[in-house]
Amino acid sequence: MERVILLADMNSFFASVHQATDPHLRGKPVVVIGDPEQRRGIVLSASYEAKRVGVKTGMILRDARQLCPRGFFIKSQYHLYVSFSSRFLSIMRDFTPLVEPFSIDEAFLDVTGSQKLFGSPVAIARQLKQRIRREVGLTCSVGVAPNKLLAKMGADLQKPDGLTVIRRQDLPSVLWPLPARELFGIGPRYERHLRRLNIFTIGDLARFPAEILKRKFGVNGEILWLSANGIDSSPVEPGGLGRVKSMGHQITLPHDCKGDSLRAVILELADLVAYRVRSEGYMGKTAVLCLKDPAFFWLSRMQTLPEYTDLGSEIARAALSLMAEHWFPNWPVRMAGVTLANLVPHRIEQPALFGDREKSRSIEQACDLVRNRFGRKTVFRASSLIEGGWDHAR
Amino acid sequence: MKVRCSKSVLNNALSSLSRITPTRPVQPILGGFMIFTRDDTLVLQATDMELSLTMIIPAQVEIEGCIVVTGRYLMEIVRRLPDGDLTLQLDDINQQVEILYGGKASAHINTLAPSDFPSLPVAPSQNQIVMDGNRWKNNLRKITFAASPQEIRPNYAGVYMEFKSGYLKMVSTDTYRLALLTMPYEYEHSEITLFVPVRPLGEVIRLLEDDQQLEIIWDQTVINFQTKKFTLTARLMDAQFPAYERVIPKECRLRIKVNKELLNDTLERAVLFNELPSQQAVVDLKVDAGTLFISAQSSQMGSLNEEIILGCAEGEETQAAFTTRYLLDPLKVMEQEDVILCLNGPREPAVYLEEGDESYLHLVLPVRRLLDNNTGEAEV
């Protein structure tokens, strides 16, 4: 039986979330920007009203203000988007258990087995759109197709509030006339390479001999050729985005820090990362330290840990040794970040007969319990009491 | 300097020395071998400041002398020379050592200044014991693998030795498992404990030839292992060995006897079934009605289930899960056809014993399965 895959992509997600929560913003140009504190205020999302006057994602704040002086400029509120994301995902799971979040604002659904319950693919897409609009207050573009690739391309064809069905036989008429860069997986670099082969449209690529593409670009060439021909057998994996690869925290400091106060900040960041890693049930093997000085000189270094860990003390030890190795002593720091990468699910715990590791683990787990019950700021290291400690002060 | 020696003997000495020198020396001299004459022998030395090795090989000395050459250069050329005798000769003018081998063939290798070569730690002389080399080697092999690798837990990268009246105990642990061996030994001096890094012990195992007497000499900080052919000097560990006796279970809930090869082969299969990280394969053991059930799961690969009928099982039925590798490693060094496995439930350490021989014990702590609070959902 041919599969039925849906991709639902929330239109102008961040901006729409603000319009959904604040009725006063509806129908107005809303622009969501990054944290100007980092002096990196760029446009993360713009409502269709703002897009109409030319505001685009990735634009710097000043340019956007010029184009849209009457716009509502809102600092991004990530926790809000996360909660909206889980709300539309849970609606999707009412239609099928096979929901694969693809990014914060889009997800694949495999509804092959849901047709007896909910009707034809198009009927399912309509119900989904309707429920998300009514219950979450967002519009989305849905692509309906026999595989993920075509569903994704279908959803991109009509925005906002679209519903596009792509069947295999639609390929030559719908996809092939499009420029090659519209194909999922083709960026500017591939586009240039393909032009040299006289490939300009997706159709050109589909009709090009696969052998030559394979020889020129390896496995990727073959995948591109298959994509152009609408062939994609990848399954919808509910765990898709669940394979979190890293978790980190960074902070732009209220005052520039160095020496002991910088150490205190790094310890706090490491503890925060470890707390999150533990509560999500992961452990990781690579520690990453990011530091930025007041002149925006920026540095990021990583260290492989001897063992998988979810302990703040071990992450901190690695981060501090990276700092000692790569940062001038007493050079001021404006922004610091600590990340634990190479994460795997922590399912098995090998207890130890002796050693500090067991002790550290019990201490940190006890702190987790206190934090979960009484709040994140109730337990902290003594070092946080010195100047530069920020976490408990907030 | 001018000496004549056998190529194969020199080659063996050089490859042993090359295991000591650092792979990427900070200074060229630290990658050097010091070579000098002493009576009718050639003495070769290498060090990485932690460990130093002196090899002594027979040679015909014509002119005495001392040179230092980059170890890697000398080893690589000597390895490729034809078998037979060769001559090493110092070319004073060019500061090179000339290697003459067969006919008119010769190679010149640049030398380094002997005065720059780091001085080796002074050999200790306080305490001394003599061991039978074979016995020492066989016993050490059963212990060293359970120590932690240096880079993971440096404080556990060693073997703890207790000399008491009538016996010597050797223990090592990486904190997850522990190996303990008791060997009878007549030690005349007062009781003493040594904590020896595992790396020199591994080198001693490698260097010891059959039927050699091994002398062990130590003082507060340094230990020497020596035979007529080599001297290996190492720093003792500067760490406290944990109170290991308290973790050894006094009783045993279930004692089973199982064929070593059978168990080994099953576990070798089970180790394939793992989750991430792959070195952490876990195996479930369960004993019920005289049968050992062994199972392993992998979400990617599938699962394995085996049953071994036990000839002998005393105690209450029980089960536990272990890191497969920790159950597998001791089987490689145990000598009897059957092994005894004492299981103490899902929390307490399990113990391997040799059938009919109480001198060796290997302890493994079971693993705990954590509640799967990670539902595999996107963290969005």
Side-chain angles (χ1 to χ4, degrees), chain A residues 3 5-8 88-89 92-93 96-103 105-110 148 234-242, chain B residues 376 378 380:
Chain A
R3 295 189 296 159
I5 310 294
L6 268 52
L7 179 100
F88 73 69
L89 285 174
M92 290 172 174
R93 293 200 184 97
T96 170
L98 297 175
V99 174
E100 177 185 343
F102 189 57
S103 70
D105 61 356
E106 57 191 329
F108 288 106
L109 295 83
D110 185 337
K148 282 163 83 173
S234 57
V236 173
E237 289 172 299
L241 251 193
Chain B
V380 289

Side-chain angles (χ1 to χ4, degrees), chain A residues 49-99:
Chain A
E49 296 80 5
K51 278 181 183 159
R52 216 168 286 139
V53 295
V55 178
K56 290 196 177 96
T57 304
M59 222 172 225
I60 63 170
L61 180 54
R62 201 178 18 173
D63 294 352
R65 275 201 202 278
Q66 246 163 24
L67 285 168
C68 190
R70 284 163 186 262
F72 292 82
F73 289 81
I74 299 173
K75 214 172 102 177
S76 66
Q77 294 168 16
Y78 206 72
H79 63 100
L80 200 60
Y81 314 140
V82 171
S83 85
F84 268 73
S85 189
S86 56
R87 282 165 67 189
F88 73 69
L89 285 174
S90 89
I91 292 177
M92 290 172 174
R93 293 200 184 97
D94 288 346
F95 290 91
T96 170
L98 297 175
V99 174

Side-chain angles (χ1 to χ4, degrees), chain A residues 106-147:
Chain A
E106 57 191 329
F108 288 106
L109 295 83
D110 185 337
V111 294
T112 315
S114 310
Q115 296 175 73
K116 289 224 166 96
L117 282 171
F118 297 100
S120 71
V122 173
I124 295 175
R126 286 224 179 86
Q127 291 169 59
L128 179 68
K129 279 167 63 79
Q130 197 181 19
R131 282 196 58 194
I132 291 177
R133 184 202 288 267
R134 199 182 295 151
E135 295 170 34
V136 191
L138 298 176
T139 62
C140 56
S141 290
V142 178
V144 182
N147 59 44

